[in-house]
Amino acid sequence: MPFKRPGALIFSALLLAGCATEPPKSLVTPFPPVAEHPTAAQLPQPQQPVRGVWLATVSRLDWPPVSSITARSASARISQQQQALIQKLDKLQSLNVNTLFFQVKPDGTALWSSKILPWSDMLTGRVGDNPGYDPLQFVLDEAHKRGIKVHAWFNPYRVTVNTKTSTVSELNQTLSLHPASVFLLHRDWVRTAGERYVLDPGIPEVRDWITSIVAEVVTQYPVDGVQFDDYFYAETPGSPLNDSETFRKYGQGFASKADWRRHNTQQLIEQVSRTIKQIKPAVGFGVSPAGVWRNRSHDPAGSDTRGAAAYDESYADTRRWVQQGLLDYIAPQIYWPFSRQAARYDELTRWWADVVKPTHTRLYIGVALYKVGMPSTVEPEWTISSGVPELKKQLDLNDSLPEVDGTILFREDYLNQPQVQEAVNLLKARWNGAGSR
């Protein structure tokens, strides 16, 4: 098949919306070699370290307010949701946060006006109901007015957060919508894993479809970046992903299913990276994986840790993506204190600093704001002086390493929790005096 130019790619992506009674044709688009798109070194470099926050919309963890769903009218709901976002952005601005990682695809639904995905039920209570405004455009407008960049955060494969009968019933009700849920349009792509409905990463058309979703956002919105979270192969021991048939069909030539799975994840990252650079080279692409790539006990190149490893658990060779220049940035989730011997914060942060050092990939460290001030027998540091000394040590280390280009806090709503207020004061004093390392 001849190579399609970016415009053709987007046109094909939009065709995926299809009609509810006839499943759309799958997008299969060849891409140029990785070297043909600009490298991170050719892109505009940030003038200052990232001071970032993740804002989760899945299960309305950070936004929108749960109470808005039962508002007396659509206009009241819209007002409540927009005002809540404005208040959050004002708070971030007061802390001198310069980058917001906003979850636009929490599952198989969208928080933007999409021709591929139905509207998220997080906004109205029902999948596919038009919320009466475009949340992504709204947050972009309001954040940019405040000097805050916005990265669109995608969960690539999740379709639902549970497998309840009521959830299936709601998805079935999207049959008459344009677009309907992928759960209906491509039921053969959907599996169960981790007590959720997910897309099978081993199906090439699934990866193409996800790529088309990213292409739609990058084309239509002035996002500053795109981020995938750590949910690639997101199975659990009690709820594994049954991809045996997919492996039989596509896994020829691989020594093991594990190698084949890592290849599938690699293919997705390559496709998305190329596509973004074809459309808007200045839009950064990053991933926020689990903090451990591999443990040294399994690989001499790994970290001196004993934690769940992305390479072995999620089948994501995150180190390789950095080495190949596929990512503009990587934001490992290093959610442990200095004293946690199985996964020491300093060990992992220094390990990642060494990984990015010979590359052009920027390194942002994900920090566990959600643990600050919370009682823990395993990690008591989070309650000593309200967790402020531990948080300060982590920020100090980040600032001391030239390879670390910023810190991202997980997650936004914890900035409003009483147990975190001393830490918020630390952040305000520290980040408002920022401007250099």
Side-chain angles (χ1 to χ4, degrees):
M1 184 184 297
F3 169 63
K4 294 179 181 178
R5 303 319 308 167
L9 172 67
I10 305 310
F11 178 72
S12 299
L14 299 183
L15 287 178
L16 283 171
C19 64
T21 56
E22 182 181 345
K25 294 181 179 179
S26 300
L27 173 68
V28 182
T29 306
F31 296 93
V34 172
E36 290 190 15
H37 69 64
T39 65
Q42 296 170 307
L43 301 177
Q45 297 298 301
Q47 298 301 306
Q48 54 187 352
V50 159
R51 300 182 295 276
V53 173
W54 278 293
L55 191 153
T57 58
V58 64
S59 302
R60 304 185 186 94
L61 290 177
D62 295 326
W63 183 88
V66 175
S67 60
S68 68
I69 305 306
T70 56
R72 64 184 182 278
S73 65
S75 60
R77 171 182 50 75
I78 292 169
S79 177
Q80 187 177 345
Q81 292 180 0
Q82 292 182 344
Q83 286 304 309
L85 258 183
I86 286 172
Q87 290 173 7
K88 289 178 181 297
L89 290 168
D90 285 344
K91 176 70 168 285
L92 298 182
Q93 185 181 24
S94 75
L95 294 175
N96 207 18
V97 166
N98 58 22
T99 312
L100 176 66
F101 298 84
F102 182 72
Q103 192 173 34
V104 297
K105 183 185 177 294
D107 44 35
T109 63
L111 276 85
W112 74 93
S113 182
S114 176
K115 291 183 171 61
I116 305 172
L117 300 174
W119 281 107
S120 176
D121 55 321
M122 295 299 98
L123 301 165
T124 63
R126 279 173 51 96
V127 174
D129 279 5
N130 190 321
Y133 73 109
D134 188 323
L136 176 56
Q137 188 61 60
F138 184 83
V139 76
L140 282 164
D141 291 342
E142 293 296 329
H144 286 167
K145 281 195 295 190
R146 292 163 174 78
I148 300 173
K149 294 181 178 180
V150 177
H151 287 229
W153 160 21
F154 296 78
N155 181 292
Y157 292 116
R158 186 162 58 208
V159 177
T160 65
V161 296
N162 58 57
T163 57
K164 294 178 181 177
T165 303
S166 58
T167 299
V168 173
S169 176
E170 186 168 359
L171 295 178
N172 286 337
Q173 291 173 24
T174 70
L175 182 60
S176 61
L177 301 180
H178 302 278
S181 171
V182 67
F183 185 84
L184 300 179
L185 297 178
H186 284 292
R187 192 65 182 85
D188 56 318
W189 292 357
V190 179
R191 308 283 183 265
T192 303
E195 307 296 342
R196 300 176 171 99
Y197 287 115
V198 300
L199 298 176
D200 188 337
I203 300 173
E205 292 82 3
V206 166
R207 301 191 296 268
D208 295 329
W209 186 77
I210 293 167
T211 303
S212 73
I213 292 168
V214 175
E216 182 182 59
V217 169
V218 173
T219 301
Q220 296 182 7
Y221 295 87
V223 295
D224 300 290
V226 165
Q227 184 180 103
F228 279 179
D229 55 32
D230 54 323
Y231 286 88
F232 295 105
Y233 278 86
E235 58 186 354
T236 60
S239 181
L241 175 74
N242 183 2
D243 56 355
S244 298
E245 183 179 335
T246 314
F247 180 50
R248 282 194 296 270
K249 185 174 182 179
Y250 297 107
Q252 303 92 339
F254 290 90
S256 66
K257 181 186 279 191
D259 286 344
W260 169 73
R261 282 182 165 188
R262 277 185 286 273
H263 169 78
N264 297 333
T265 313
Q266 174 82 18
Q267 292 293 102
L268 174 69
I269 297 301
E270 287 186 9
Q271 286 185 204
V272 171
S273 179
R274 292 164 177 156
T275 299
I276 292 171
K277 298 313 172 189
Q278 289 169 16
I279 300 168
K280 289 181 184 174
V283 171
F285 176 46
V287 175
S288 58
V292 178
W293 168 69
R294 293 203 88 186
N295 296 296
R296 194 170 295 169
S297 58
H298 287 76
D299 192 313
S303 52
D304 185 14
T305 51
R306 299 183 301 280
Y311 183 97
D312 302 291
E313 306 283 339
S314 303
Y315 303 94
D317 193 347
T318 52
R319 175 173 169 265
R320 183 183 183 192
W321 305 340
V322 171
Q323 293 172 332
Q324 291 182 326
L326 292 170
L327 305 179
D328 294 301
Y329 68 91
I330 192 162
Q333 302 170 29
I334 306 182
Y335 292 164
W336 306 280
F338 274 65
S339 66
R340 188 69 186 270
Q341 292 302 317
R344 287 178 57 98
Y345 183 89
D346 53 335
E347 161 67 19
L348 281 165
T349 300
R350 293 181 189 279
W351 184 89
W352 277 108
D354 288 339
V355 169
V356 303
K357 187 179 294 185
T359 76
H360 296 299
T361 302
R362 296 186 288 274
L363 174 62
Y364 313 142
I365 303 297
V367 168
L369 181 68
Y370 71 97
K371 289 186 176 181
V372 171
M374 298 297 288
S376 171
T377 55
V378 180
E379 299 177 357
E381 294 81 2
W382 298 115
T383 51
I384 296 173
S385 298
S386 300
V388 171
E390 177 64 33
L391 178 61
K392 183 179 183 300
K393 281 173 61 178
Q394 296 188 6
L395 296 174
D396 284 347
L397 179 62
N398 293 357
D399 287 350
S400 72
L401 297 173
E403 296 81 17
V404 176
D405 289 309
T407 300
I408 311 175
L409 306 173
F410 187 81
R411 52 186 170 78
E412 184 277 332
D413 191 55
Y414 283 90
L415 291 169
N416 307 307
Q417 300 302 317
Q419 74 275 9
V420 184
Q421 291 317 297
E422 288 187 42
V424 169
N425 291 335
L426 168 71
L427 290 166
K428 183 176 293 187
R430 188 183 192 105
W431 283 359
N432 276 308
S436 61
R437 290 188 176 275

